[in-house]
């Protein structure tokens, strides 16, 4: 029996298009504005290739006006307060619900996605996101007391979930008190324009939300605008890199949600019928144009052929067709250029020896359609196993053992999501922490909710959207404003304690500390260290590129530190504090050599001991949460360490700044490569013996002395360094952010501004722990 068509009527959407005469201007400062370029581009329905409307192309001057409107609106929006903003967000949510069908139909027409998906998934999630964030708006001052809004946020979104991505961006930004300028993707601007109309209808103050349409050049003008305080971007890793580089050193905050090549791992005891439906959701949802699509099917060898047969059987029954037909499974590809990308990569897969299978039926010819496709016999290094195809193409590989499954899953530069299929809960929960990805779904896939954070590890970008963790992307610490650009490095007054004897001191050349051992620098050179009076008092090893590489290798080898319990790590940290206390006098004298008074030096040492206590205490207390996501799941939000972290210490507070940055990082399970103060590294090198006597495993803390900016550049360019904290100059900060774009390392730089390490709001804060970790959300089926 043939399926009949079950068409959804486009009439309401067509009426709306006609009402606007099929032509849309820009929306900023609460008004519809003609673009200065006077240029418009067509947006089409990819299911039938018909033009839907003409969309304005904003140039840099239009962008400037929109940013100015957002800036002008900011003070009043801030002053409105938490409850006032919550009321507006609630009104938006209500309005979306009231017009939900119009939004769904328009989305499907513009993007090509099945109406079933836009009606039942995209738009309900949009409303949910605004409701949820109306709540966060209300609670901002209670839940995030130490934080305030960032300012004007530029938001750039892709075409795969146009309105949902808008909601993910605008809802948290407004809730935290910011104003926004948002650019939808060129292929799919319509629902963002309808959203602008809705903002008008509810009387949202002018300039709080501004919608600018245009292409990549418009996006670039937003990124480069000097009054933009933060950029939130979702799209390709290539453009993410451009944005990282363009903003390096500017002080603009960024969050990037980029591509993925997510593994869908099936163990031999999985319920294969559920797996097949999971595969349909993983790779044929939204035509596979999903950043977290389960595009790599990893199957245990013993069940592979059986599973492939079931999948092929299911594929044969899938229906591709007009997005407004309620009975289709797969809609149209968004645009001809995307279709060409898919066709090219599939051909490459065949050329590289993959076994390609497609159903026997053919796709309709009226639009841009592509059939569901399965590749088997693919090698892990094949292009289609590594590159994001962003289409309905599933690439299958097999594994024999659990460790092999984990290795294969992590064999990608991305880290957005993963799903694990097994009936064995122990196995699922053993594998979940070993996968390097921001979201792990157990026996489910592609489930989203406003209460859970979403975002990547590695080259899938950084930052989270949704959940409490997502709010931090739209706030800054109030104390940031107290950091100054003035240089108060080391006091240049004479050392308060100089050697009482005229005899030459016993020569002391401090080595580097790598892998738990004191090692000579590769260069064979040393750096002379002078005291506050300018007298040479010691030499330290002059570290170079090779030493940093060795230190990174040693840090990687110390992986067992990460799997130790927080309690066990805390014991080591307390022991470090205890040993520092025993040698307090020695450390005080050392600081006095660099010009500190006895009182100040004593204060710095005792604060250091206290800080170690603080982070030892946090080691087993900075935990995650269980998010209230959809009823059939609980979602564990687990803070995980970044991995190997570079830390470049400032010149000032040579002991306290070292302790205040290194100890929280290792408390969270990171292994670190530290470049201590260049001019006063001896407080750090004195710690070698303390570390050695405190049971700190070798390789957890590695210290390379030398020229700060040379060493930090090596760390920034190192592909095996996962994150980098830098407390130095503005130029150094720029260099770090620029170089970090290559492997998308998480950076935290100070743009040449000094913090007062002795103040707890600047030198001891949960913020250090937040920067030392990233949240993984693990979705576990729960309840009915
Ligand atoms: P892009 O990254 O090019 O586009 C994303 C957004 O960025 C769009 O709004 C785009 O504008 C804008 N943009 C493009 N260039 C710049 C720039 N230099 N500065 C600022 N903004 C810019 O993705 P594409 O749409 O070209 O898709 C290409 C590939 O990216 C896909 O095949 C897929 O692999 C991946 N992708 C990943 C997504 C994800 O969710 N992770 C989403 C979409 C794509 P405009 O649309 O006008 O060009």
């Amino acid at each position: 029996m043939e399926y009949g068509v079950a068409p959804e009527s486009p009439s309401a959407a067509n009426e709306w298009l006609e009402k606007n005469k099929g032509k849309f201007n820009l929306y900023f400062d609460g008004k519809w504005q003609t673009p200065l370029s006077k240029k418009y581009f067509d947006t089409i329905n990819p299911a039938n290739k018909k033009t839907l409307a003409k969309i304005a192309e904003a140039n840099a001057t239009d962008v400037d006006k929109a940013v100015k409107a957002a800036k002008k609106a900011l003070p009043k929006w801030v002053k409105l307060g938490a409850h006032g903003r919550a009321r507006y967000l609630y009104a938006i949510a209500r309005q979306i619900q009231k017009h939900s069908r119009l939004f769904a139909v328009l989305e499907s027409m513009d993007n090509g996605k099945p109406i079933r998906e836009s009606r039942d998934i995209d738009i309900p999630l949009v409303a949910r996101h605004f409701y949820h964030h109306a709540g966060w708006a209300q609670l901002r001052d209670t839940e995030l007391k130490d934080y305030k809004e960032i300012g004007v946020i530029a938001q750039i979104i892709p075409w795969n979930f146009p309105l949902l991505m808008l909601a993910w961006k605008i809802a948290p930004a407004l809730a935290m008190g910011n104003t926004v300028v948002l650019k939808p993707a060129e292929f799919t601007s319509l629902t963002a324009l309808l959203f602008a109309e809705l903002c008008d209808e509810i009387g949202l103050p002018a300039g709080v939300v501004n919608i600018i349409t245009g292409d990549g050049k418009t996006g670039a003008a937003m990124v480069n605008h000097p009054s933009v305080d933060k950029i939130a971007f979702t799209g390709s890793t290539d453009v993410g890199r451009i944005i990282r580089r363009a903003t390096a050193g500017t002080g603009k905050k960024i969050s990037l949600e980029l591509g993925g090549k997510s593994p869908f791992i099936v163990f031999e005891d999985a319920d294969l019928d559920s797996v097949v439906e999971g595969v349909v959701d993983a790779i044929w949802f939204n035509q596979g144009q999903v950043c977290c699509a389960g595009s790599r099917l990893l199957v245990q060898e013993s069940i592979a052929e059986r599973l492939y047969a079931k999948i092929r059987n299911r594929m044969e029954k899938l229906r591709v067709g007009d997005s407004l037909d309620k009975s289709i499974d797969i809609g149209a590809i968004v645009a001809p250029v995307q279709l060409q990308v898919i066709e090219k990569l599939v051909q490459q897969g065949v050329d590289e020896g993959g076994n390609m299978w497609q159903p026997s039926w053919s796709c309709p010819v009226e639009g841009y359609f592509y059939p569901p496709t399965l590749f088997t016999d693919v090698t892990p290094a094949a292009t289609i196993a590594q590159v994001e195809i962003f289409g309905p193409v599933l690439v299958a590989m097999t594994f024999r053992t659990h460790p092999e499954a984990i290795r294969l899953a992590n064999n990608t530069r991305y880290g957005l999501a993963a799903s694990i299929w097994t009936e064995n809960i122990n196995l699922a929960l053993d594998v979940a922490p070993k996968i390097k990805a921001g979201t792990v779904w157990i026996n489910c896939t592609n489930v989203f909710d406003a209460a859970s954070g979403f975002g990547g590890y590695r080259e899938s970008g950084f930052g989270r959207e949704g959940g409490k963790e997502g709010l931090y992307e739209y706030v800054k610490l109030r104390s940031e404003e107290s950091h100054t650009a003035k240089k108060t490095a080391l006091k240049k007054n004479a050392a308060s304690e100089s050697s009482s004897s005229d005899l030459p001191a016993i020569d002391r050349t401090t080595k580097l500390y790598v892998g738990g051992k004191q090692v000579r620098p590769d260069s064979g050179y040393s750096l002379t260290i002078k005291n506050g009076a300018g007298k040479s008092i010691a030499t330290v090893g002059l570290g170079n590129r090779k030493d940093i590489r060795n230190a990174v290798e040693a840090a990687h080898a110390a992986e067992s530190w990460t799997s130790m319990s927080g309690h066990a790590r805390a014991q080591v940290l307390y022991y470090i504090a205890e040993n520092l206390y025993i040698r307090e006098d020695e450390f005080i004298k050392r600081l006095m050599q660099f010009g500190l008074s006895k009182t100040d030096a004593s204060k710095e040492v005792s604060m250091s001991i206290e800080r170690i206590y603080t982070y030892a205490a946090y080691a087993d207390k900075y935990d995650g949460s269980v998010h209230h996501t959809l009823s059939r799941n609980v979602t564990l939000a687990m803070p995980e360490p970044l991995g190997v972290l570079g830390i470049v210490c400032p010149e000032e507070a040579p002991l306290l700044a070292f302790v205040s940055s290194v100890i929280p990082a290792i408390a969270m399970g990171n292994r670190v490569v530290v470049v201590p103060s260049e001019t006063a590294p001896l407080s750090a090198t004195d710690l070698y013996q303390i570390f050695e006597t405190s049971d700190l495993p070798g390789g957890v803390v590695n210290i390379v002395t030398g020229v700060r900016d040379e060493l930090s550049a090596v760390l920034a360019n190192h592909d095996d360094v996962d994150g980098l904290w830098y407390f130095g100059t503005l130029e150094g900060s720029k260099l770090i952010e620029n170089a970090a774009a290559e492997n998308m390392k998480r950076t935290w730089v100070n743009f040449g501004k000094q913090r007062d390490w002795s103040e707890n709001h600047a030198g001891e804060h949960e913020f250090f722990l937040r920067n030392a970790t990233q949240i993984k959300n693990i979705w576990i089926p729960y309840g009915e």
Side-chain angles (χ1 to χ4, degrees):
M1 206 169 26
E2 283 293 298
Y3 281 99
V5 284
E8 171 76 34
S9 167
S11 57
N14 283 335
E15 270 168 36
W16 179 75
L17 292 169
E18 277 158 28
K19 187 187 91 185
N20 284 287
K21 302 192 173 53
K23 191 169 165 184
F24 292 88
N25 285 324
L26 310 169
Y27 179 78
F28 56 84
D29 205 11
K31 296 187 240 354
W32 291 95
Q33 321 248 12
T34 315
L36 288 172
S37 67
K38 303 267 186 294
K39 284 192 199 153
Y40 294 81
F41 56 89
D42 288 347
T43 190
I44 57 141
N45 179 341
N48 58 23
K49 304 184 187 174
K50 288 190 185 140
T51 299
L52 292 169
K54 292 198 171 303
I55 311 285
E57 187 182 308
N59 66 17
T61 314
D62 295 311
V63 168
D64 179 53
K65 288 183 172 177
V67 172
K68 283 187 174 134
K71 199 167 172 165
K72 190 175 81 184
L74 187 66
K76 263 198 179 161
W77 184 242
V78 170
K79 205 161 159 235
L80 184 63
H83 179 62
R85 290 189 293 267
R87 294 266 285 259
Y88 279 112
L89 282 161
Y90 180 74
I92 292 175
R94 297 278 298 142
Q95 206 69 0
I96 284 168
Q97 270 184 328
K98 281 188 222 161
H99 299 293
S100 60
R101 192 54 68 94
L102 174 59
F103 271 114
V105 173
L106 197 60
E107 195 77 306
S108 282
M109 286 165 70
D110 204 14
N111 167 279
K113 63 173 69 200
I115 182 71
R116 259 187 326 116
E117 291 178 7
S118 49
R119 184 195 61 198
D120 300 343
I121 300 172
D122 292 46
I123 308 305
L125 278 174
V126 169
R128 160 88 178 126
H129 223 79
F130 279 102
Y131 278 127
H132 183 76
H133 285 88
W136 281 125
Q138 178 74 24
L139 298 176
R140 190 194 88 166
D141 298 343
T142 328
E143 291 286 319
L144 292 112
K145 280 195 212 65
D146 293 352
Y147 295 86
K148 61 179 291 198
E149 68 289 340
I150 296 174
V152 174
I153 318 285
Q155 306 186 312
I156 301 170
I157 56 172
W159 40 258
N160 51 349
F161 293 91
L163 194 68
L164 187 57
M165 290 300 105
L166 173 149
W168 281 22
K169 298 266 178 300
I170 290 185
L174 297 194
M176 295 298 103
N178 305 282
T179 55
V180 304
V181 179
L182 176 135
K183 186 191 94 62
E186 217 176 325
F187 299 146
T188 54
S189 304
L190 288 176
T191 46
L193 296 164
L194 177 59
F195 179 84
E197 226 178 77
L198 175 155
C199 291
D200 237 14
E201 268 172 36
I202 63 154
L204 189 73
V208 171
V209 167
N210 306 277
I211 307 285
I212 286 285
T213 45
D215 60 11
K217 289 194 293 302
T218 313
M222 292 164 71
V223 168
N224 295 321
H225 196 290
S227 296
V228 163
D229 301 297
K230 174 192 163 122
I231 294 127
F233 171 81
T234 299
S236 61
T237 297
D238 289 344
V239 175
R241 250 188 215 110
I242 293 174
I243 293 175
R244 169 71 291 182
R245 292 195 175 116
T247 54
T250 60
K252 285 177 189 164
K253 295 190 188 296
I254 59 172
S255 48
L256 303 174
E257 200 266 273
L258 310 174
K261 191 76 186 173
S262 300
F264 185 108
I265 312 166
V266 187
F267 290 100
E268 60 190 359
D269 65 348
D271 169 359
L272 292 195
D273 292 325
S274 302
V275 167
V276 172
E277 291 316 304
V279 165
V280 172
D281 287 343
I283 189 66
W284 294 307
F285 169 53
N286 206 24
Q287 298 70 252
Q289 302 166 136
V290 182
C291 49
C292 52
S295 52
R296 280 189 302 144
L297 175 65
L298 311 181
V299 197
Q300 197 147 15
E301 205 175 75
S302 50
I303 52 153
E305 286 310 322
R306 199 146 53 92
L307 180 61
Y308 295 160
K310 278 177 181 278
I311 293 174
R312 288 190 192 111
N313 198 23
R314 183 73 174 89
M315 287 166 77
E316 192 63 42
K317 295 192 181 73
L318 290 171
R319 300 188 68 227
V320 172
D322 184 358
S323 46
L324 290 191
D325 181 345
K326 285 178 248 180
S327 60
I328 59 135
D329 301 295
I330 301 177
I333 301 298
V334 73
V337 55
Q338 188 60 23
L339 188 58
Q340 282 155 19
V341 169
I342 298 167
E343 286 167 346
K344 194 167 154 243
L345 281 164
V346 167
Q347 188 54 50
Q348 202 165 341
V350 173
D351 294 346
E352 289 180 18
N355 184 357
M356 197 261 278
W357 191 90
Q358 290 176 336
S360 60
W361 43 262
S362 6
C363 288
V365 290
E366 300 81 22
Y368 303 112
F369 295 102
Y370 198 83
T373 302
L374 171 68
F375 269 98
T376 50
D377 301 328
V378 178
T379 59
T383 308
I384 53 167
Q386 291 294 333
V387 169
E388 185 176 42
I389 300 175
F390 230 61
V393 183
L394 180 63
V395 175
M397 281 163 276
T398 58
F399 63 86
R400 287 189 181 160
T401 62
H402 300 169
E404 192 189 351
I406 293 160
R407 272 200 307 277
L408 264 181
N410 288 332
N411 179 24
T412 164
R413 60 197 175 105
Y414 296 113
L416 199 52
S419 56
I420 301 169
W421 296 77
T422 169
E423 292 298 291
N424 179 346
I425 184 84
N426 299 323
L427 175 60
L429 295 180
D430 175 58
V431 173
K434 293 178 181 153
I435 303 286
K436 293 188 167 49
T439 298
V440 175
W441 289 294
I442 293 176
N443 289 332
C444 58
T445 192
N446 273 343
V447 270
F448 311 97
D449 187 56
S452 167
F454 182 85
Y457 278 32
R458 301 166 154 186
E459 291 184 35
S460 290
F462 41 78
R464 293 290 177 267
E465 297 188 292
K468 190 174 182 189
E469 57 264 38
L471 303 178
Y472 293 97
E473 304 301 329
Y474 289 103
V475 288
K476 63 178 180 190
L477 269 175
R478 291 181 190 280
S479 66
E480 256 185 45
E481 282 164 5
S482 68
H483 304 168
T484 61
K486 77 174 190 294
K487 296 264 184 297
T488 53
L490 286 168
K491 296 193 176 114
K492 288 291 172 219
N493 52 317
S496 44
E497 175 154 313
S498 51
S499 171
S500 54
S501 153
D502 285 338
L503 292 173
I506 296 175
D507 175 66
R508 185 147 177 248
T509 301
T510 307
K511 296 179 187 145
L512 314 178
Y513 187 61
V514 175
K517 295 194 181 66
Q518 301 194 30
V519 295
R520 286 181 205 291
D522 170 73
S523 67
Y525 287 103
S526 342
L527 199 64
T528 302
I529 303 301
K530 296 181 176 161
N531 70 4
K535 190 175 159 198
S536 304
I537 51 166
T539 54
V540 295
L542 183 67
N544 68 10
R545 178 177 296 268
K546 178 88 177 20
D547 298 310
I548 292 283
R549 284 205 201 120
N550 291 344
V552 171
E553 212 176 305
H556 273 284
E559 209 174 350
S560 59
W561 177 252
T562 302
S563 44
M564 265 165 76
S565 68
H567 170 76
R569 284 198 296 265
Q571 298 313 301
V572 175
L573 299 187
Y574 284 125
Y575 202 6
I576 292 174
E578 192 184 317
N579 283 325
L580 182 56
Y581 174 69
I582 293 168
R583 294 174 54 183
E584 203 174 8
D585 288 346
E586 198 185 303
F587 277 83
I588 292 172
K589 278 189 190 142
R590 178 65 85 199
L591 289 170
M592 287 168 69
Q593 283 187 309
F594 290 92
L596 260 69
S597 68
K598 186 154 189 187
T599 316
D600 286 349
S602 306
K603 191 173 154 212
E604 180 157 346
V605 176
S606 59
M607 282 199 85
S608 299
I609 294 169
E610 204 177 314
R611 291 249 159 106
I612 300 173
Y613 259 70
T614 300
Y615 293 114
Y618 267 128
D620 64 352
K621 291 174 195 65
Y622 185 72
D623 46 20
S625 50
V626 181
H627 288 315
H628 286 284
T629 46
L630 310 172
S631 53
R632 264 210 26 68
N633 288 279
V634 284
T635 309
L636 304 182
M638 306 281 289
E640 291 191 345
L642 298 183
V644 171
L645 184 62
I647 299 180
V648 182
C649 294
E651 287 309 294
E652 71 276 10
L655 177 67
L656 186 60
F658 182 101
V659 164
S660 306
S661 48
V662 170
I663 301 297
I666 63 171
M668 293 296 99
N670 294 285
R671 291 92 70 195
V672 297
V673 176
V674 195
V675 178
S677 166
E678 182 177 319
T679 46
L682 302 180
S683 299
T685 60
D686 289 344
L687 287 168
Y688 297 172
Q689 284 171 2
I690 295 211
F691 292 151
E692 279 161 6
T693 51
S694 305
D695 292 345
L696 183 72
V700 175
V701 175
N702 304 277
I703 301 174
V704 181
T705 49
V707 179
R708 184 186 54 198
D709 282 345
E710 270 174 39
L711 297 175
S712 52
V714 182
L715 279 168
N717 283 303
H718 200 305
D719 270 354
D720 259 349
V721 172
D722 304 299
L724 185 51
W725 296 358
Y726 172 91
F727 304 101
T729 60
L730 176 58
E731 304 73 52
S733 302
K734 182 172 179 177
L735 186 147
I736 300 289
E737 290 194 328
N738 200 30
E742 200 49 44
N743 77 338
M744 285 291 162
K745 22 176 106 57
R746 283 84 185 109
T747 55
W748 179 22
V749 303
N750 72 338
F751 304 107
K753 292 192 176 163
Q754 286 184 358
R755 59 186 60 230
D756 183 348
W757 292 93
S758 65
E759 290 289 345
N760 275 355
H761 66 75
E764 179 189 293
H765 197 275
E766 184 218 19
F767 193 64
F768 284 79
L769 304 175
R770 189 170 299 290
N771 272 296
T773 51
Q774 51 194 339
I775 303 272
K776 173 186 278 178
N777 275 286
I778 305 169
W779 292 67
I780 303 171
Y782 183 80
E784 289 179 21

